[in-house]
């Protein structure tokens, strides 16, 4: 791993040069950060869980025709991905009020929104990823109108699909954040889903108890963070329930 050329290190992931041109290796760290990295911790096993969960989500989304960066999982912590030029936007989709939307608009957490809402934030850690309007995206040239339309369309399809998927395992998809990238084609380029989809980037609440099964457990000091991620993985059928306590990462279909 360390012999490869590192391309980028983020808060939760490292990107290395891939084995073929146009590929990268995405390594999932155990590090957790919140509030623009003011709060930090290492959570044993989080990286492996997010690698598995993101693999699963990207594969399922690929099956319904969403183009993604995912090529294959390499091992417990790494996946091979397509190299993409990341569009500097965080695309957030919300079904239920929570987090910054609740704070900003004074809507109680847990209130169902009249319809799914797509928001954009500028990917700028130094500015705290500020909420922006489509106007800013056009004016500053971060994405074209056609790209924006495509990203919004894909986000809503991803939301519909993931709401159904999680609902089937007793989980409410409150909101999520995704990122997109551009990959070159013979002519022009294609917009693909990039980054990750995991409990680090989604709010996932148990349908019956509203128990948080996502990164808010870390942000809000609720404890049992990796246990909650394991619960998500087990409900999705990615991990086998294990008689040992705490459950271990025994994988349902493994090529590790
Ligand atoms: P909020 O704006 O309420 O803090 O977040 C909305 C949704 O986007 C939540 O599911 C949250 O986890 C996700 N999100 C927002 N910003 C980030 C970010 O910088 N990193 C990650 N991993 N997720 C984010």
């Amino acid at each position: 791993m360390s012999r490869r050329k590192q391309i980028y290190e983020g808060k939760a992931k490292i990107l290395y040069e891939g084995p073929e041109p146009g590929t990268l290796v995405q390594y999932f760290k155990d590090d957790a950060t919140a509030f623009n990295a003011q709060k930090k911790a290492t959570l044993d096993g989080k990286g492996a869980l997010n690698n598995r969960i993101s693999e699963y989500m990207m594969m399922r989304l690929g099956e319904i025709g969403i183009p993604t960066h995912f090529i294959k999982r390499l091992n417990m912590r790494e996946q091979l991905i397509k190299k993409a030029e990341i569009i500097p936007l965080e695309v957030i989709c919300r079904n239920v009020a929570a987090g910054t939307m609740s704070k900003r608009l004074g809507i109680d957490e847990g209130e169902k929104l009249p319809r799914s809402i797509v928001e954009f934030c500028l990917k700028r850690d130094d500015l705290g990823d500020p909420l922006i309007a489509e106007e800013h995206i056009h004016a500053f040239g971060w994405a074209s109108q056609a790209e924006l339309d495509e990203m919004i369309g894909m986000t809503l399809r991803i939301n519909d699909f993931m709401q159904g998927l999680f609902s089937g395992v007793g989980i409410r998809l409150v909101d999520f954040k995704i990122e997109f990238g551009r990959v070159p084609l013979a002519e022009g380029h294609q917009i693909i889903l990039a980054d990750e989809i995991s409990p680090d980037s989604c709010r996932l609440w148990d349908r019956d108890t509203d128990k948080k099964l996502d990164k808010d457990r870390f942000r809000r000091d609720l404890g049992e963070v990796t246990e909650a991620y394991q619960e998500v993985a087990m409900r999705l059928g990615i991990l086998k329930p294990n008689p040992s306590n705490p459950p271990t990462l025994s994988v349902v279909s493994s090529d590790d």
Side-chain angles (χ1 to χ4, degrees), residues 32-237:
T33 64
F35 313 118
N36 210 10
Q38 288 170 45
K39 179 172 177 168
K40 291 183 191 170
T42 301
L43 302 169
D44 278 350
K46 180 181 83 87
L49 283 159
N50 282 355
N51 186 22
R52 296 297 309 216
I53 295 169
S54 197
E55 170 195 20
Y56 180 83
M57 300 309 302
M58 294 275 175
M59 283 179 56
R60 296 285 83 79
L61 289 167
E63 285 163 13
I64 62 153
I66 301 286
T68 83
H69 73 167
F70 181 81
I71 301 173
K72 65 172 178 177
R73 186 166 55 83
L74 297 171
N75 54 50
M76 286 293 276
R77 285 181 180 275
E78 294 178 332
Q79 46 186 246
L80 187 66
I81 58 168
K82 290 183 192 164
K83 187 175 186 170
E85 177 202 344
I86 295 294
I87 296 172
L89 303 173
E90 296 195 334
V91 183
I92 292 175
C93 184
R94 302 180 185 269
N95 302 305
V96 174
T100 58
M101 172 178 259
S102 290
K103 281 206 191 84
R104 229 179 14 247
L105 303 182
I107 307 174
D108 286 343
E109 280 216 327
E111 199 169 298
K112 192 176 179 323
L113 299 173
R115 63 175 176 81
S116 303
I117 295 176
V118 177
E119 296 176 343
F120 300 96
C121 293
L122 180 63
K123 228 173 109 63
R124 276 284 298 267
D125 281 344
D126 57 332
L127 302 176
D129 299 335
L131 183 70
I132 52 171
E134 288 191 30
E135 275 288 280
H136 296 105
I137 300 172
H138 297 312
F140 294 110
W142 292 318
S144 69
Q145 182 64 57
E147 288 175 330
L148 205 51
D149 291 343
E150 209 173 327
M151 286 189 280
I152 294 171
M154 270 201 248
T155 301
L156 292 172
R157 284 183 64 207
I158 292 168
N159 184 46
D160 278 349
F161 180 77
M162 291 211 307
Q163 272 190 304
L165 186 80
F166 281 118
S167 163
V169 296
I171 291 175
R172 193 141 66 118
L173 178 64
V174 171
D175 56 33
F176 62 91
K177 183 268 302 182
I178 47 180
E179 296 180 22
F180 293 94
R182 301 180 181 102
V183 286
L185 295 176
E187 257 177 54
H189 65 265
Q190 183 187 26
I191 301 280
I192 63 170
L193 177 64
D195 194 52
E196 72 179 294
I197 298 184
S198 74
D200 267 7
S201 56
C202 303
R203 284 198 173 92
L204 304 169
W205 295 358
D206 180 84
R207 186 182 47 209
D208 300 323
T209 65
D210 280 348
K211 181 180 172 188
K212 296 183 197 323
L213 300 170
D214 57 62
K215 195 172 159 188
D216 273 350
R217 299 204 71 81
F218 170 69
R219 295 187 187 101
R220 303 180 187 192
D221 293 323
L222 299 174
E224 301 186 331
V225 184
T226 43
E227 288 80 356
Y229 287 34
Q230 272 171 344
E231 167 95 35
V232 172
M234 276 192 285
R235 289 201 200 183
L236 290 172

